[in-house]
Amino acid sequence: AMTEKTLDQLRQDIDRIDDQVHRLLNERAECARAVADVKVREFEAAQQFEGDQENSGSAQQLLFYRPEREAQVLRRIKEVNQGPLADDTVAHIFREIMSACLALEKPMQVAYLGPEGTFTQAAAIKHFGHAVNSHPQSTIDAVFSRVESGECHYGVVPVENSTEGMVSHTLDNFMSSPLKICGEVELRIRLHLLASEDTLSAASDGGLRCICAHQQALAQAKSWLDAHYPNVERRAVSSNAEAAKLAGDEVGVAAVAGDIAAQRYGL
């Protein structure tokens, strides 16, 4: 019978497998770089051809990022997954691999509804991975303008919330903008009550003065807040991320916000 491996032997196995994974990641990156070279050559040839034509239309845009191709890759990864890692976990890892490889071709500029730490930023990261340059905007209008002007390649805006319905401001912008929807991200919203270490120390002596959040989050968390903090003032602010920033800056202030805000503001 095969003897069970010692901890040391298992760790050596992991190191050996990590080396193989690392080598394959770099091989994939080289392949992605070769794809970029082919795209550039084809693009230049097409521009040359159009330049030779009389009254040719405008040259096509060089596209490195193809949402439909990435969706196809992720679907395939989930279909062939045999565990023990969950399908979504494997898709998340490959999302980041594709993001890093794409950044070698051309770092993408993505505008999103900020500030840093919003659920819209979480959606942008879920869709594009961490290797893009993301630019927080203070309004939905500003996201549209950055993409329309060409400063950013893509924009991420909220369009629907399962409890509060459609985001009418986003829909209004699509009516007057030439931009089109080219992808969709579904994000599970999990809210936390967040505070700094200093506020937590003060709170044990009854020093929690105020709970801040976007109006929508305060409405969603109302029954929980009524049960646990019925006597603490609630203040509506422009976003949950703004609330998290306040909670980081002011002792006695807590925020209702998501994981990404907790990480960003150290709560």
Side-chain angles (χ1 to χ4, degrees):
M2 197 174 94
T3 55
E4 284 195 17
K5 290 188 172 185
T6 66
L7 192 56
D8 260 0
Q9 289 169 323
L10 289 169
R11 283 177 174 157
Q12 282 168 16
D13 283 350
I14 283 178
D15 287 347
R16 177 179 50 78
I17 293 164
D18 282 349
D19 289 344
Q20 291 174 342
V21 170
H22 195 170
R23 194 171 62 253
L24 288 169
L25 283 174
N26 281 326
E27 193 179 322
R28 189 194 193 285
E30 288 295 350
C31 203
R33 196 179 260 162
V35 166
D37 292 343
V38 171
K39 283 181 182 176
V40 169
R41 279 202 306 275
E42 287 179 354
F43 178 69
E44 285 169 352
Q47 280 193 314
Q48 180 70 51
F49 176 74
E50 284 195 357
D52 295 341
Q53 306 295 302
E54 288 294 327
N55 306 319
S56 68
S58 61
Q60 64 186 55
Q61 192 189 358
L62 176 54
L63 289 176
F64 286 105
Y65 172 67
R66 299 304 296 261
E68 69 284 6
R69 168 65 185 149
E70 298 211 345
Q72 180 193 7
V73 171
L74 292 176
R75 257 199 313 275
R76 189 182 144 274
I77 291 297
K78 288 165 99 164
E79 280 165 12
V80 300
N81 182 39
Q82 295 183 337
L85 291 175
D87 289 0
D88 283 349
T89 304
V90 173
H92 177 74
I93 292 166
F94 272 86
R95 160 77 278 150
E96 289 296 337
I97 292 171
M98 288 194 287
S99 180
C101 289
L102 186 65
L104 285 175
E105 298 176 35
K106 185 179 187 191
M108 231 175 357
Q109 312 298 325
V110 176
Y112 67 88
L113 180 62
E116 284 185 56
T118 56
F119 285 116
T120 310
Q121 185 187 20
I125 290 169
K126 181 178 176 182
H127 191 75
F128 291 102
H130 283 83
V132 296
N133 294 331
S134 55
H135 304 277
Q137 305 300 311
S138 55
T139 62
I140 289 172
D141 295 16
V143 176
F144 275 78
S145 349
R146 289 297 288 273
V147 181
E148 283 174 25
S149 70
E151 287 173 88
C152 288
H153 300 100
Y154 292 91
V156 182
V157 287
V159 75
E160 187 180 10
N161 180 292
S162 58
T163 58
E164 302 292 315
M166 299 304 284
V167 181
S168 55
H169 208 114
T170 297
L171 301 185
D172 291 345
N173 271 280
F174 277 116
M175 295 301 290
S176 55
S177 167
L179 301 181
K180 301 266 189 293
I181 295 172
C182 66
E184 172 184 70
V185 191
E186 284 193 3
L187 194 72
R188 182 183 294 282
I189 302 297
R190 288 195 176 90
L191 295 170
H192 310 292
L193 183 63
L194 304 172
S196 65
E197 291 287 351
D198 292 344
T199 294
L200 289 175
S201 313
S204 57
D205 304 324
L208 183 59
R209 296 195 320 276
C210 172
I211 296 171
C212 295
H214 187 271
Q215 193 122 29
Q216 206 169 59
L218 289 176
Q220 287 165 333
K222 183 179 185 304
S223 57
W224 191 91
L225 291 172
D226 286 348
H228 294 83
Y229 294 94
N231 302 318
V232 175
E233 181 209 338
R234 291 168 210 174
R235 192 194 312 160
V237 292
S238 62
S239 69
N240 296 338
E242 180 61 33
K245 188 172 182 301
L246 286 170
D249 293 342
E250 289 183 45
V251 178
V253 174
V256 177
D259 289 330
I260 192 168
Q263 290 159 19
R264 172 65 185 80
Y265 299 103
L267 304 175

